[in-house]
Structures are given as structure tokens and as C-alpha cells.
Amino acid sequence: MRLTELDTPCVVIDEDKVEANLAGFQRHCDTLGVALRPHIKTHKLPELARRQLELGAKGITCQKIGEAEVFAAAGFDDILITFNIVGPAKLERLAALAARVERLCVVADSATVVEGLAGCFDRPERPLGVMVECDTGAGRCGVQSAEAALELARRIEAAPGLRFAGLMTYPKAFNEAQVQAWFSRAQALFDQAGIAIPTFSSGGTPSMWKLAEAPIVTEYRIGTYAYQDRSQVAAGACRLDDCALAVMTTVVSCPTPDRVVVDAGSKALTSDLLGLEGYGCVLGHPEARVVGLSEEHGTLDFSACAERPAVGDLLSIVPNHACPVSNLFDQVHFHRAGLLTRSLPVAARGKVG
Amino acid sequence: MRLTELDTPCVVIDEDKVEANLAGFQRHCDTLGVALRPHIKTHKLPELARRQLELGAKGITCQKIGEAEVFAAAGFDDILITFNIVGPAKLERLAALAARVERLCVVADSATVVEGLAGCFDRPERPLGVMVECDTGAGRCGVQSAEAALELARRIEAAPGLRFAGLMTYPKAFNEAQVQAWFSRAQALFDQAGIAIPTFSSGGTPSMWKLAEAPIVTEYRIGTYAYQDRSQVAAGACRLDDCALAVMTTVVSCPTPDRVVVDAGSKALTSDLLGLEGYGCVLGHPEARVVGLSEEHGTLDFSACAERPAVGDLLSIVPNHACPVSNLFDQVHFHRAGLLTRSLPVAARGKVG
């Protein structure tokens, strides 16, 4: 079946580009001796995560328990959840998950989070791994100093059912020097205290090729590299031709000579700008601009283009941000040279909790 | 059950506020003698659309065939799809839908769209209603002149299986004078040509209370008025207290005295800014600002607030735009004074095609 027979809007993914993206960065990690723990938030597909493991990934990263539950049900047994687990409902789900997943690890950045975990996990023979999340410059979660990291590691170690599993950061992009400095300070402090740091975990696709600039890092977590997207092209992490995912859409209106309206709006492409101008890149029409999105309409400006599409034509748009696009579709379609290879349900779509 | 027992992030909707929003605007339309045809894109719930019909709505509006299919299956028999239906796959679905829905109507803004419909619908005894979409200033779809509208109406009337059902516009907000002028010009032209315009359809929540300023309008289509949201407060369409929908979220981190991180990110609140600063309004903390969203984290700035929440606290955030939030959740929870009244699956979620 040809992709052009699919109903639109739909997500189409190039098999060869995904494979090249996955294999290429795994090779890079292998060369550097860094463990790769890909983030499944981008594809949300057990099938692709399995391929990542086959290629050499150590395990997977999930952001929410709901995602981890889907992957545990699919047989994954080495999962890191990089999110503070808070509240009785979540802790109960985490306990159930830990009973099914051989190697489960979470993070914590406050005594409150550690206390919650400690109150729920009390089996010294099978402790829950807990990493301390560190804010190395991104300004999101994480302890603010190496001293605070040490204090939290001590609290984790003091809890019989928990095990200190290392330091984790979601770094600011192109911030490798600060990650190196932050983690090095922590290492010196932990060394003095006689506490080993089993893992230094970092990662983010924009500066993925700068990984070697923070040599203290032993584990790298990235997601977007699987599909790549327009924001990663802008960041220099890939070329447009490496982008494996596109939204295929139909031209439904050409109300003026310059304006083209397609059936993909923010419900297909998301409103994510990520600092870019416009909402995507129209393949084959580099001068076209995706100037506006409402929920179901995308408005394109073709004023700078020599060729104009007509109503009924298909266009493929590389989104600014691939990950939330996966989250908007119940299924995605893989292809090789325009021929459908497989359609997969997005198993971990919509798992916000 | 109390709302506070729900797992987060989740969508909570105040029953009394929804009812007041629906009843209040229906009364307004009744007073003006304008038919109300609410857009279900906001709630995507047959249960709420049924209430809208009970209160006096004429029928419903859907944006995509996929939404109309869900509502047809739920028994709705008067549906307007305000979207150009293009391509064989969509036309086939439309034909199947027309066989099930007593009063089905679509729009067209080009000869190509009319030709597609005419080739698919050929039963004069049960013609498909087709409205001509007019661009009265919003710059999205629609014919650009009254002359073009007339020409298209003639094409529709010339097709045995189609019936010209009127003029439809999705207007620029606060553009009532231009809608009135545009439709009036068309009326004069159609009068000369001896073609009746059965319906003048307009609508948009931001300027809903200005409806009377375009007295030519006979049918009004709005969606967001059901829940209201932060963008509608900014537009003056409602007060913050009228906003029925909020995202309930848990504080998972307070890494600095001013920074609060919650478990609702763009996968719960969307990245829609709609011209506003920040991604939502934190109820009970008017000085708090939702300064950043990643997919699963919301970063709040509490520097201007006297009281700071702690890890584990629940916060409710009114989103900038309620409609795409409905689209991100598999279910929503209704309540009265904080007590759960019902949880409903979002039946038409994810229907992008």
C-alpha cells in the first residue's frame, strides 16, 4: 500500500531514517563507553524501544508511571522513571510496578519525595533504586547544590528499602561544561563522605553530539534523536533529511494565491514553537511557511514559492517537536520509500499520570 | 468521592458552571431569535451536547468527520461539519455518515470541493446540504468575495444531489461589523440572482456577547463558551469564575523558594498561548505565573505570592485554551463543590481526520 492512500492527517515515519538515527547514536555511545538509556516519550512504542535495546541500549527511560506501566506490560524489565513520584495514588502504582519490573529506578529531589518512597518500599532484599535529580542549569526540577545532593543521598541510603542509584540531570542544552563541573563537585564531596555514585546520568537531544564534553557522564538519556524534528535541525543535532517523522496532510483550501490551508492544525502538529518561527517545515517546499494553526486547520504562506499546491494535494510537514505529535495520534504509519511497512498503535499515548 | 482523591494530572469540570454557561448563552440566543448550533470540539462529549439540545440548541457543529461519526453513533441527527471534505477516503466516510444522519450539512469554498461532493452525492430526493464558507476577515478558509460565493452557490444548486444551505463564516473576533457588511453584500447579490440564502451562520466565543451587532446572522456556532478558559477571560467573554474546566495537578518539586514544579506540562495544558503571557491561571494564587511547560512538567513562578505550596499540594490551573486540553485526556471528571459527580470518557478525543 502506498502512503498516499492513507487518510489524513496522519503520522508517517521513515523506517530507514529511524534505524539510522538509532544505530548512529548507539555507535557514538559505544565508542565513548557511555550507556544509552533512550527516553520512550518520543515514540511511545514498545516495538521501537525493543529495537533500541537490540542495538545496545541499557534500558529505557520513562517520564510518567503510566508510560512505565505500558512498557512493563510489554515485557521491559529495566526502567528509569525520571519524575518525582508524589502522593499515595502514585506510590501505590509504583509499588505494583516494582513487583513486575526487575530493575526499576526513580528519582528524587527533596526529602519529601524520599520520605514518600521510603514509606512505601521497605524490603532491603529488593530495594528500589533512587537517583538524586540535580539542577545543573535547566531551571526545572533538581537539588541546587552538591551539598544538597549528598544530604539527599544519605537519606536514601538510610532508608532500608531504598538504594542510592546515582545522580541524574536534565541539563540545559549546550551546557556540557556546567554538567561536568556540577557532577565533578558532587563527586569530590561524595568521595569525602565515602559514598559511591553508581551512575552519572544526563542527556538531551539538542546537544547529543557534545556528549564527550562532559566525560563524567556514564549514562545518556535522549528521546527525540529517534525521529528528530525541526527544532533539532535548528539546534544542529541533525539535518532535515534525518527527520524520520512527518505529518501527512491534505490541502483543503487555497482561498488566495498565496494562502494554502491544510487539514493538520494544532491537534496534529501541536502549538510548540521551541523558539522557532512557524509550526513546521513543508517537505519539498522549503520557502513555504506554516504561519498559523487552529485546532484542525494549518495555514501556510506560499508567497515565496514558485510552485503552489492545489486542493486535494498531499503535503508532508516535519513538526517543530516530534514527541508531542506522537501523543496526539492513536496510531502511526511506518514506510520505506513511500510504501507502508507497518501501522502501530501508539501504546503509551496519553499517559499523563 | 472528593476530587482531591483523584490521581493527577486530571481535568475537573464544575457542573454548575457548565450549566450556567450553556443556559446563559442559550437564553441570549433565544432573546435575539438566533439559532444556536454549538461546536462540540470543546467538550467532545455526547452527554454535554445532549444537554445543549435540551436547552434549545438547533443541532451541533463538528470540525472533522471523525467527530461527526462519534456523535452520529451517539444518536445525533442534525450535524454541520464546518470543514472542506476532500479526497476519496473522506468522501466515502461522508457518504456513510449521510446515510445515518437525518440532517447532515457540510461546507465548501472552492469548485474542487463542490465537484468532489457532487460526484459522491447524487440523490435528488435526499440532497446533502452544502454551505458556502466565506472569509469575512479571519484569513483562514473561505471564498474572498460575495461574487465568488454566488458562483459557488450556483454550482451547488446545479448538482442534483446537493442543496445550497446558506453562508457560513468563522469570523475574526470582534469583527461583527465586517460580518454584517460581508453577508449583506452577498444577500443583495443573491437577491438579484433570485437565490435564497437559508442560513447565515457565524460564531466564535471571544465576541459571543456582540452577536447582536451582526443582526443578519441567523445561526451561531460556538464551542468554548461551554467551559470558558483564560483566553476568553482576557477577551472579556466571561469572568475567571465562569471557567468550568481546570487541570488539577500535584506539586512535585519546589527546588528554589520561588519555583514550583507541577506534574502538568504541555501534555496536559497544551502550549497554546493565544497571545497571553504564561500557560494558565493558578486558582487561588492570582500572582503565580505558569512560566514554562515541558511535556510533563509545569514550571510556576511564585515569587510574587505570599503563600507558597509544598511538595504534594494540589493546584488547579485554568488553561489558556480549554478545547485542546479536552483532546489530551481519555476522561474528564465532573464535580459539584469538590465532590465527584461523574467521570466521562472523552468520546471524540483524537478524531483528527
Side-chain angles (χ1 to χ4, degrees):
Chain A
M1 181 180 172
R2 300 200 62 79
L3 280 192
T4 50
E5 296 170 54
L6 292 171
D7 203 358
T8 64
C10 61
V11 169
V12 296
I13 301 163
D14 187 303
E15 297 269 14
D16 297 330
K17 290 181 182 181
V18 175
E19 177 66 17
N21 290 341
L22 299 187
F25 196 68
Q26 181 65 57
R27 269 197 307 274
H28 188 66
C29 287
D30 291 347
T31 304
L32 296 175
V34 172
L36 180 59
R37 182 183 284 282
H39 207 308
I40 59 79
K41 76 183 180 97
T42 302
H43 53 67
K44 307 181 196 299
L45 300 173
E47 295 85 350
L48 276 200
R50 248 174 241 128
R51 182 64 190 142
Q52 289 170 310
L53 293 185
E54 279 171 13
L55 287 166
K58 175 191 184 184
I60 62 169
T61 307
C62 297
Q63 201 72 314
K64 289 287 178 86
I65 292 184
E67 295 176 334
E69 285 166 345
V70 169
F71 279 78
F76 289 78
D77 65 356
D78 188 341
I79 303 177
L80 166 64
I81 302 175
T82 46
F83 204 88
N84 288 327
I85 306 301
V86 173
K90 290 280 191 321
L91 286 167
E92 196 174 311
R93 288 168 65 193
L94 187 68
L97 192 65
R100 292 199 293 171
V101 176
E102 184 64 26
R103 287 172 296 281
L104 181 68
C105 191
V106 296
V107 302
D109 71 351
S110 70
T112 310
V113 172
V114 173
E115 276 164 29
L117 295 169
C120 193
F121 290 82
D122 55 4
R123 291 173 53 198
E125 72 280 15
R126 199 174 163 193
L128 177 73
V130 183
M131 304 184 88
V132 172
E133 180 164 0
C134 308
D135 181 359
T136 57
R140 201 169 70 180
C141 294
V143 296
Q144 299 294 303
S145 68
E147 289 74 15
L150 177 60
E151 193 202 318
L152 216 52
R154 284 191 162 127
R155 280 179 188 266
I156 293 165
E157 287 285 280
L162 306 181
R163 174 180 65 80
F164 172 61
L167 301 183
M168 170 264 167
T169 187
Y170 174 65
K172 191 174 165 185
F174 301 102
N175 199 35
E176 282 68 24
Q178 279 170 269
V179 170
Q180 179 70 21
W182 210 108
F183 277 175
S184 298
R185 268 199 313 275
Q187 185 164 40
L189 209 63
F190 277 64
D191 279 352
Q192 278 183 344
I195 297 180
I197 302 174
T199 302
F200 291 91
S201 180
S202 183
T205 300
S207 52
M208 60 193 255
W209 300 108
K210 310 276 183 192
L211 159 55
E213 295 177 18
I216 197 170
V217 167
T218 59
E219 173 182 278
Y220 209 61
R221 313 176 323 274
I222 51 174
T224 313
Y225 84 109
Y227 291 156
Q228 296 296 14
D229 57 27
R230 186 169 175 244
S231 76
Q232 302 301 345
V233 176
C238 64
R239 302 159 306 158
L240 181 61
D241 197 48
D242 298 321
C243 293
L245 178 147
V247 172
M248 199 170 76
T249 179
T250 300
V251 174
V252 294
S253 182
C254 300
T256 71
D258 291 341
R259 194 195 310 158
V260 170
V261 182
V262 297
D263 66 357
S266 65
K267 263 176 67 181
L269 290 163
T270 84
S271 299
D272 279 20
L273 280 170
L274 302 180
L276 302 171
E277 200 170 302
Y279 296 94
C281 176
V282 186
L283 293 176
H285 300 275
E287 283 92 21
R289 297 184 305 127
V290 186
V291 290
L293 297 181
S294 38
E295 281 155 78
E296 304 286 9
H297 299 82
T299 304
L300 281 51
D301 179 354
F302 267 72
S303 58
C305 306
E307 282 183 49
R308 310 290 164 97
V311 171
D313 285 357
L314 295 173
L315 294 175
S316 288
I317 301 177
V318 172
N320 288 348
H321 193 184
C323 318
V325 170
S326 288
N327 190 53
L328 289 170
F329 286 83
D330 290 338
Q331 64 171 347
V332 292
H333 307 282
F334 284 76
H335 68 99
R336 191 164 275 129
L339 290 175
L340 188 74
T341 51
R342 49 183 173 159
S343 297
L344 297 177
V346 185
R349 185 207 58 72
K351 303 302 178 194
V352 289
Chain B
M1 181 180 171
R2 301 199 62 79
L3 281 191
T4 49
E5 295 169 53
L6 292 170
D7 203 359
T8 64
C10 61
V11 169
V12 296
I13 300 164
D14 187 304
E15 297 268 14
D16 297 329
K17 291 182 182 180
V18 175
E19 177 67 16
N21 290 341
L22 300 187
F25 196 67
Q26 182 65 57
R27 270 196 307 275
H28 188 64
C29 288
D30 292 347
T31 304
L32 296 174
V34 172
L36 180 60
R37 183 183 282 283
H39 207 309
I40 58 78
K41 76 185 180 93
T42 302
H43 53 66
K44 306 182 197 299
L45 300 173
E47 296 84 350
L48 276 200
R50 247 174 241 129
R51 182 64 189 143
Q52 289 170 310
L53 293 185
E54 281 171 10
L55 287 166
K58 175 191 182 183
I60 61 168
T61 307
C62 297
Q63 200 73 313
K64 290 287 178 84
I65 294 185
E67 294 175 334
E69 286 167 344
V70 169
F71 278 78
F76 289 79
D77 64 358
D78 188 341
I79 302 178
L80 167 64
I81 303 175
T82 46
F83 205 88
N84 288 328
I85 306 301
V86 173
K90 289 279 191 324
L91 285 166
E92 195 175 311
R93 287 167 66 192
L94 187 67
L97 194 63
R100 293 198 293 170
V101 176
E102 183 65 26
R103 287 173 295 281
L104 182 67
C105 192
V106 297
V107 301
D109 71 350
S110 70
T112 311
V113 173
V114 173
E115 276 163 29
L117 295 170
C120 194
F121 289 83
D122 55 4
R123 291 173 54 197
E125 72 280 13
R126 199 175 163 194
L128 177 73
V130 183
M131 304 184 88
V132 173
E133 180 163 0
C134 308
D135 181 359
T136 58
R140 202 170 69 180
C141 294
V143 296
Q144 299 294 302
S145 69
E147 288 75 15
L150 177 61
E151 193 202 318
L152 216 51
R154 284 191 162 124
R155 280 180 186 266
I156 294 165
E157 286 287 279
L162 306 182
R163 174 180 64 80
F164 172 61
L167 301 182
M168 170 262 166
T169 188
Y170 174 65
K172 191 172 165 188
F174 301 102
N175 198 36
E176 283 68 25
Q178 279 169 268
V179 170
Q180 179 69 21
W182 210 108
F183 277 174
S184 299
R185 268 199 313 276
Q187 185 162 42
L189 208 64
F190 277 63
D191 279 351
Q192 278 183 343
I195 298 180
I197 302 174
T199 302
F200 291 90
S201 181
S202 183
T205 300
S207 52
M208 60 193 252
W209 299 108
K210 310 275 183 193
L211 160 55
E213 295 177 17
I216 196 169
V217 167
T218 60
E219 174 183 278
Y220 209 63
R221 313 175 323 275
I222 49 174
T224 314
Y225 84 109
Y227 291 158
Q228 296 295 15
D229 58 27
R230 186 168 175 245
S231 75
Q232 302 301 345
V233 175
C238 64
R239 302 161 304 160
L240 180 61
D241 196 46
D242 299 321
C243 293
L245 178 147
V247 172
M248 199 170 77
T249 180
T250 300
V251 173
V252 295
S253 182
C254 299
T256 71
D258 291 340
R259 192 196 312 160
V260 169
V261 182
V262 297
D263 65 358
S266 65
K267 262 177 67 182
L269 289 164
T270 83
S271 299
D272 279 20
L273 281 169
L274 302 180
L276 302 172
E277 199 168 302
Y279 296 94
C281 176
V282 186
L283 292 177
H285 301 275
E287 283 91 21
R289 297 183 306 128
V290 186
V291 291
L293 297 181
S294 38
E295 283 156 77
E296 304 286 9
H297 299 81
T299 304
L300 281 51
D301 178 355
F302 267 73
S303 58
C305 306
E307 282 183 49
R308 311 290 165 97
V311 171
D313 285 357
L314 295 173
L315 294 175
S316 289
I317 301 178
V318 173
N320 289 348
H321 193 184
C323 318
V325 170
S326 287
N327 190 53
L328 289 170
F329 286 82
D330 290 337
Q331 65 171 347
V332 292
H333 306 282
F334 285 77
H335 67 99
R336 192 164 274 129
L339 290 175
L340 189 74
T341 51
R342 49 183 174 160
S343 298
L344 296 178
V346 185
R349 185 207 59 72
K351 304 301 176 192
V352 290

